[in-house]
Amino acid sequence: DAKTTQPPSMDCAEGRAANLPCNHSTISGNEYVYWYRQIHSQGPQYIIHGLKNNETNEMASLIITEDRKSSTLILPHATLRDTAVYYCIENSGYSTLTFGKGTMLLVSP
Amino acid sequence: ETGVTQSPTHLIKTRGQQVTLRCSSQSGHNTVSWYQQALGQGPQFIFQYYREEENGRGNFPPRFSGLQFPNYSSELNVNALELDDSALYLCASRESDRANYGYTFGSGTRLTVV
């Protein structure tokens, strides 16, 4: 079973920042926080991952709290194409992925 | 070759039949995993192969089996199909020495068992 907790759904207006929270209260010291998303009828897509520090790439930013018990994925300027299910996953990088139900993000015009 | 390609995209089988799903991974991706995704659920891990050997398995019965080939392709075989096997089957691969850079997933095969 997934060890992370995410809200089942969120809404965001197009052009605004989407902030998706995740609780990972039992994360181990060697586990990264990974974020994937799944657009309808496609396979999951890797977005970003981090261990302790905040991370940013061309897709998103990842903020991890100092105690590593929670994180937030930030899509700075959400577009309609960002409508998807977003999964937060704890993973050491060498084990398989355990998906929960994720957060369904709906971006509206 | 880039990306992960799965075939076929859709498939309809009858209960009791056998099915083989195929996946072609990127060159150098020597780790491949298969997942089953039921409607409305997250993907569930079936098994993983590393350099043609199974090195991890989820809570799936032995009628789910697989193969990985030296050319970075792989197969998922399911025998004695049941109605509950209807799902999206996903293949994911990565380079083992770039493990913390995430998996690349295919678009999946939608299997319907009637």
Side-chain angles (χ1 to χ4, degrees), chain B residues 72-112:
Chain B
Y72 306 109
S73 66
S74 60
E75 291 180 353
L76 164 65
N77 299 289
V78 186
N79 294 321
L81 283 167
E82 301 177 359
L83 297 180
D84 285 348
D85 295 333
S86 295
L88 180 68
Y89 288 86
L90 295 160
C91 166
S93 67
R94 68 173 188 205
E95 294 179 39
S96 62
D97 57 352
R98 291 174 60 85
N100 64 353
Y101 282 84
Y103 283 87
T104 301
F105 280 80
S107 294
T109 294
R110 173 73 62 187
L111 173 65
T112 302

Side-chain angles (χ1 to χ4, degrees), chain B residues 29-86:
Chain B
H29 280 203
N30 51 20
T31 299
V32 64
S33 300
W34 285 88
Y35 291 80
Q36 180 195 67
Q37 186 173 24
L39 208 58
Q41 304 295 317
Q44 298 299 304
F45 172 67
I46 302 174
F47 47 59
Q48 177 168 285
Y49 279 78
Y50 171 65
R51 293 185 175 176
E52 302 160 49
E53 297 284 335
E54 183 179 305
N55 74 341
R57 190 174 185 92
N59 189 27
F60 281 81
R63 60 188 183 84
F64 286 77
S65 63
L67 288 170
Q68 184 187 25
F69 304 101
N71 65 352
Y72 306 109
S73 66
S74 60
E75 291 180 353
L76 164 65
N77 299 289
V78 186
N79 294 321
L81 283 167
E82 301 177 359
L83 297 180
D84 285 348
D85 295 333
S86 295

